[in-house]
Amino acid sequence: MPDLIKKLATEVASRIQELGFDEPSRTAIAALLDIAYLGTLRSEEGRFVKGSLTFANPMRPEIDPPFTRRANYPAFIKFDSIEILTVQTLVKLARAIDRWSGSIAVHSTRRGGFVAWGVVDQLVEQNVWFHRESDGGFVNPGLLTVTMDGIGDISVYHGSLFLGGLKAQNLVTRESDALNSNIVSEHVFHALEPFAKAIARVLDSDSEANIGGALMEVWATSIARLCIGLRQHGTGGAFLLTPTPIRDVLQVKHPLTYSRLRDAAILNVLDEGYRLKLEDAEHTLTSEGNPVPAKLAKDLSRAETDAEDRRKEVTGAVKLVTSFASVDGCVLMTPELSVSGFGVKIGSTPNVSTVYDGTSFASRGTRARKIDLSQFGTRHGSMLRYCAQDRKALGIVVSQDGYVRLIMTVKKSLLLWDNIKLLGHQDFSQNKAAKYKERRRRLEMIREAKTWPFELGYTETPKTIDQLMKATASQQKH
């Protein structure tokens, strides 16, 4: 494992340099990763440690401070006295500083160690966004974030950029975005196409392709959320999506028809499309200097409520279907996400001999890299054998170690994508690093020239307690 930590540190240091930073050094990153990794192996009162470390210089902790600071923007709060960061310190602080809402602010010392000097707060929105439960949020304002996601499972980020991680004793520098790949989209879209046409007719829109893309995005996000939830349960599990299940092979312990996730996901696209249509109509009127009719304003307000309610409905349905997958066996679903049963066991099917790596197959076909099947257990084996027989099926397996794999047949070739991307972070690339570096340089020039005023919030009401009390005192004098 020390070698893997060194390799991860080398990769992260290289990417940090491409982003335009000369700290922390590779040695410092390795030392920080080592503390985080060892921390995940410790338990406190019977629970393994999960938490987050944010590398930030206490003299200037924010890398890219905003010009307008909103009330819920993350902030650094300093400890009255710093603490030397050790594995023991980390275990103690991680219990006090919940990773979902905050992070431990750390920095390196001249002697090569680390100190914990404060807390980053207001990280709930980032985590909600990363876990696909909202469309956006503020990211951690520090230079580097190390999250402890499970036993021996750590990830490293700069803002929303994924820089690398360790999972199940494997180095991960990039995850497979299989859920949004062309192969999977083509496999699934035929089931969603009738709904795309119906939504286009209701909205009187000629953008059926855009609606189809929105449906696929909601589908991929829903699958990701199911897997994220199952991974958080820590039980492992599986989902089998097929329009024509081979009933002789499947033993459905708990048959039921639950279509609410399907309905909510599809109608979410309709409700959001209608909201956007009314919003565009209002914008057109105001931009031309025309008054907005009362009916349009009322309809827009109601459409916004409907869209928000539908998003909440999707969340509730995702939670329930995730719980179905926590029991032994898989969840049987249609490609459009209607549940047919859970606790499903896959019976005897012929063995498979050749399985291709999905990412490699997309560009190389049958010359793609082949998967070593000896590394997989019973759950993966049964799903592979079933998907080889049912060529319309799509299998998703979540291991107890957190890995998520997707299985399907394309023509006569059985494919497997390993280490599926679930969270809403961005993958690192040299192009993204260059754009980010240039953006940060331009913003720094603006700050130095002071051509953009720093503001708190958007209105003229007091935005701090001091401002509030001063305003009150001023009114009393008059």
Side-chain angles (χ1 to χ4, degrees):
M1 188 51 64
D3 289 341
L4 284 179
I5 290 176
K6 288 181 180 178
K7 289 180 180 179
L8 176 58
T10 299
E11 184 70 25
V12 171
S14 173
R15 293 181 170 187
I16 283 293
Q17 289 176 359
E18 287 190 57
L19 285 163
F21 302 103
D22 54 12
E23 67 162 352
S25 66
R26 185 193 65 80
T27 303
I29 293 172
L32 186 61
L33 295 179
D34 190 54
I35 292 173
Y37 178 80
L38 292 175
T40 67
L41 306 181
R42 300 291 185 90
S43 61
E44 181 77 3
E45 295 187 355
R47 295 180 300 174
F48 282 95
V49 174
K50 292 186 178 182
S52 169
L53 295 166
T54 297
F55 181 91
N57 188 330
M59 301 302 293
R60 188 186 176 188
E62 294 188 41
I63 300 304
D64 190 12
F67 291 109
T68 300
R69 188 176 297 273
R70 297 171 68 173
N72 59 336
Y73 188 78
F76 288 86
I77 299 92
K78 292 184 178 181
F79 293 145
D80 288 344
S81 59
I82 62 174
E83 294 191 52
I84 301 299
L85 184 68
T86 63
V87 176
Q88 291 76 15
T89 306
L90 173 58
V91 170
K92 180 182 68 174
L93 290 175
R95 184 181 175 191
I97 301 169
D98 173 53
R99 183 200 140 181
W100 190 261
S101 57
S103 182
I104 305 164
V106 302
H107 197 250
S108 54
T109 65
R110 292 180 180 179
R111 296 183 179 181
F114 280 88
V115 293
W117 62 267
V119 180
V120 189
D121 78 338
Q122 296 292 332
L123 294 181
V124 172
E125 277 202 4
Q126 173 187 304
N127 283 298
V128 170
W129 170 33
F130 266 24
H131 288 77
R132 309 276 192 174
E133 295 186 6
S134 74
D135 295 330
F138 299 118
V139 297
N140 193 317
L143 194 155
L144 202 66
T145 305
V146 181
T147 61
M148 298 178 289
D149 306 311
I151 302 173
D153 185 349
I154 59 176
S155 301
V156 188
Y157 301 92
H158 171 76
S160 62
L161 288 179
F162 176 67
L163 304 182
L166 297 177
K167 187 180 294 293
Q169 298 184 352
N170 288 302
L171 174 64
V172 178
T173 57
R174 188 180 183 86
E175 296 176 316
S176 172
D177 196 14
L179 295 175
N180 292 298
S181 67
N182 290 334
I183 292 178
V184 173
S185 295
E186 291 170 3
H187 192 80
V188 172
F189 183 68
H190 73 277
L192 299 175
E193 189 172 16
F195 303 107
K197 291 180 178 179
I199 291 172
R201 286 195 295 268
V202 169
L203 295 179
D204 193 21
S205 170
D206 57 0
S207 300
E208 186 180 317
N210 292 339
I211 293 170
L215 283 171
M216 279 305 310
E217 183 178 352
V218 171
W219 179 90
T221 299
S222 298
I223 293 291
R225 292 175 68 180
L226 289 171
C227 295
I228 290 169
L230 192 53
R231 192 159 67 178
Q232 289 174 333
H233 284 195
T235 59
F239 303 93
L240 175 59
L241 284 65
T242 174
T244 53
I246 306 174
R247 295 291 179 180
D248 293 343
V249 177
L250 301 176
Q251 302 169 18
V252 185
K253 186 174 182 180
H254 302 288
L256 86 163
T257 300
Y258 180 74
S259 60
R260 193 160 190 177
L261 176 56
R262 178 202 67 180
D263 298 353
I266 292 169
L267 293 173
N268 177 59
V269 174
L270 171 61
D271 287 337
E272 185 63 17
Y274 183 60
R275 183 192 69 80
L276 289 173
K277 181 178 180 179
L278 296 181
E279 192 175 79
D280 288 343
E282 181 189 57
H283 177 72
T284 299
L285 289 171
T286 56
S287 64
E288 295 174 352
N290 297 317
V292 177
K295 184 179 184 307
L296 175 57
K298 187 176 182 179
D299 286 346
L300 177 56
S301 176
R302 289 178 171 178
E304 289 170 344
T305 300
D306 279 349
E308 178 62 23
D309 289 348
R310 194 69 71 186
R311 285 191 290 271
K312 292 177 180 177
E313 184 185 22
V314 172
T315 295
V318 163
K319 299 294 185 185
L320 181 60
V321 177
T322 300
S323 67
F324 290 160
S326 298
V327 301
D328 194 24
C330 68
V331 178
L332 181 62
M333 308 175 71
T334 65
E336 60 270 23
L337 304 183
S338 182
V339 176
S340 304
F342 62 96
V344 178
K345 298 295 183 70
I346 299 175
S348 178
T349 49
N351 289 329
V352 296
S353 57
T354 303
V355 179
Y356 295 101
D357 173 75
T359 302
S360 178
F361 187 90
S363 58
R364 304 189 63 193
T366 53
R367 293 181 293 110
R369 180 175 67 86
K370 295 179 182 179
I371 301 291
D372 177 14
L373 299 182
S374 64
Q375 63 181 303
F376 300 121
T378 304
R379 182 178 284 160
H380 287 86
S382 61
M383 187 67 78
L384 283 163
R385 291 193 298 272
Y386 180 86
C387 289
Q389 297 298 308
D390 183 353
R391 295 182 181 175
K392 294 182 179 180
L394 189 151
I396 302 163
V397 181
V398 182
S399 300
Q400 286 184 320
D401 60 15
Y403 267 97
V404 180
R405 298 177 176 94
L406 186 147
I407 300 164
M408 61 180 286
T409 296
V410 174
K411 295 182 179 178
K412 295 183 180 181
S413 298
L414 188 59
L415 313 183
L416 181 147
W417 280 265
D418 202 356
N419 194 27
I420 301 299
K421 177 183 176 182
L422 300 179
L423 299 182
H425 59 248
Q426 300 179 58
D427 290 320
F428 180 90
S429 68
Q430 291 182 332
N431 185 44
K432 285 180 182 176
K435 288 182 178 179
Y436 179 90
K437 185 177 178 181
E438 175 61 18
R439 174 183 175 276
R440 189 163 54 86
R441 185 189 68 81
R442 292 189 178 188
L443 291 176
E444 190 64 30
M445 290 175 60
I446 293 173
R447 290 188 188 94
E448 290 178 357
K450 297 181 179 179
T451 57
W452 195 301
F454 176 78
E455 297 177 346
L456 293 174
Y458 296 103
T459 65
E460 296 180 357
T461 59
K463 293 296 183 289
T464 67
I465 291 297
D466 286 344
Q467 290 178 355
L468 173 63
M469 301 313 293
K470 286 179 181 178
T472 303
S474 176
Q475 289 176 352
Q476 289 176 344
K477 289 180 179 179
H478 290 83

